[in-house]
């Protein structure tokens, strides 16, 4: 029995360290965020989980297809899952009370959060990119970029909110995407590294599966693209 216990202890000790997205964010949140960024990202990961569940069950619940004559801000016909994903992101982001302005591809105008629920961050997102192909059971995703509103800037109108979202990519606090396919991946960067997390549906957590992801300096596919 002693051998069995010692063997089990060695097995546990040899396993790679399991890091959840929340743990990772607490250690790598942007400087000066004071925990607000972590709470914001927790809202995003909850929205991603909601979207993932709705995609998996879309066929069973009749959620494939278009929403009548509705179109989004770019003129694309809205699918039912576009609307569901957009609502999931809006609800979670506004509930976090860490967002001031939201810009969504599914909305004609920027969304200015009520003053008593505003935070210091701004976000632009596409809640469900590639939804036009979802009936064919191919991978789709969500994508977002996060900026911080300057503390001296006062936003009072939708027009001012829309103008505030016209930021340079160089001032991003964080950016990321979620990919829904054979697995659900969430990839983020806070400026220092790119890290990939995979949803473990058995425990409902995103776990770190690839840290400091980098593009290899040379691959045959790159050469093929150069010669096209």
């Amino acid at each position: 029995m002693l051998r069995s216990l010692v063997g089990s202890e060695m097995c546990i000790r040899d396993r790679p360290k399991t890091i959840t997205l929340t743990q990772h964010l607490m250690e790598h949140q942007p400087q000066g965020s004071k925990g607000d960024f972590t709470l914001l990202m927790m809202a995003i990961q909850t929205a991603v989980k909601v979207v993932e569940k709705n995609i998996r069950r879309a066929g069973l619940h009749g959620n494939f297809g278009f929403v009548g004559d509705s179109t989004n801000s770019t003129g694309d016909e809205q699918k039912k899952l576009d609307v569901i994903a957009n609502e999931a992101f809006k609800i979670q982001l506004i509930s976090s009370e860490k967002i001031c302005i939201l810009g969504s591809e599914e909305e004609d105008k920027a969304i200015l959060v009520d003053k008593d629920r505003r935070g210091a961050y701004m976000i632009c997102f596409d809640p469900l990119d590639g939804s036009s192909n979802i009936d064919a059971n191919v991978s789709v995703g969500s994508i977002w970029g996060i900026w911080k509103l300057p503390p001296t800037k006062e936003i009072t109108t939708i027009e001012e909110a829309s103008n505030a979202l016209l930021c340079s990519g160089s001032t991003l606090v964080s950016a990321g995407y979620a990919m829904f396919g054979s697995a659900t991946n969430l990839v983020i960067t806070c400026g220092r590294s790119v890290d990939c997390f995979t949803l473990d549906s058995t425990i409902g957590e995103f776990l770190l599966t690839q840290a400091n992801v980098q593009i290899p300096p040379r691959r045959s596919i790159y050469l093929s693209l150069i010669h096209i």
Side-chain angles (χ1 to χ4, degrees), residues 4 11 24 67 73 144 147 183 207 210 219 222 228:
S4 178
C11 182
H24 177 83
V67 184
S73 60
W144 59 86
W147 292 262
L207 304 179
Q210 289 178 279
R219 278 290 187 271
Y222 303 158
I228 289 177

Side-chain angles (χ1 to χ4, degrees), residues 7-226:
S8 298
E9 185 179 343
M10 289 178 64
C11 182
I12 292 171
R13 195 180 298 163
D14 292 341
R15 287 178 186 170
K17 184 180 179 183
T18 300
I19 301 174
T20 67
L21 175 59
T22 304
Q23 289 172 321
H24 177 83
L25 290 168
M26 291 176 70
E27 295 178 7
H28 298 87
Q29 62 183 335
Q31 191 173 4
S33 68
K34 299 179 181 178
D36 286 358
F37 177 78
T38 299
L39 292 172
L40 169 56
M41 281 304 306
M42 289 173 70
I44 290 176
Q45 74 164 314
T46 301
V48 168
K49 291 175 187 177
V50 172
V51 174
E52 190 264 348
K53 288 295 183 186
N54 277 280
I55 289 173
R56 301 284 179 218
R57 297 179 298 191
L60 299 174
H61 291 248
N63 285 330
F64 285 140
F66 296 100
V67 184
D69 298 324
S70 180
T71 57
N72 64 17
S73 60
T74 59
D76 296 329
E77 285 187 281
Q78 282 185 313
K79 290 211 166 187
K80 294 175 183 178
L81 282 169
D82 286 322
V83 176
I84 292 170
N86 192 49
E87 285 302 309
F89 268 85
K90 286 197 301 181
I91 289 169
Q92 296 302 326
L93 289 168
I94 293 172
S95 297
S96 74
E97 299 190 355
K98 304 304 174 189
I99 286 288
C100 176
I101 305 167
L102 297 84
S104 169
E105 189 187 24
E106 303 304 323
E107 303 284 341
D108 292 330
K109 299 178 181 178
I111 299 170
L112 183 59
V113 180
D114 293 339
K115 201 164 187 178
D116 60 338
R117 304 186 72 185
R118 286 182 198 171
Y121 291 96
M122 306 182 293
I123 186 169
C124 285
F125 60 95
D126 183 347
L128 196 58
D129 191 27
S131 59
S132 58
N133 297 319
I134 201 164
D135 293 6
N137 201 27
V138 297
S139 296
V140 292
S142 304
I143 186 168
W144 59 86
I146 300 170
W147 292 262
K148 197 163 188 178
L149 188 71
T152 56
K153 194 158 189 172
E154 185 71 23
I155 304 294
T156 57
T157 66
I158 297 297
E159 185 178 359
E160 289 175 347
S162 298
N163 290 333
L165 288 174
L166 302 176
C167 300
S168 168
S170 62
T171 60
L172 276 164
V173 173
S174 176
Y177 69 86
M179 182 71 74
F180 310 103
S182 58
T184 299
N185 297 115
L186 191 153
V187 180
I188 62 164
T189 180
C190 296
R192 284 171 288 185
S193 65
V194 177
D195 302 292
C196 178
F197 299 80
T198 301
L199 180 63
D200 184 342
S201 58
T202 60
I203 60 173
E205 288 282 359
F206 279 100
L207 304 179
L208 181 65
T209 47
Q210 289 178 279
N212 194 26
V213 179
Q214 297 185 27
I215 297 175
R218 191 175 181 84
R219 278 290 187 271
S220 58
I221 189 171
Y222 303 158
L223 297 175
S224 299
L225 289 171
I226 290 171

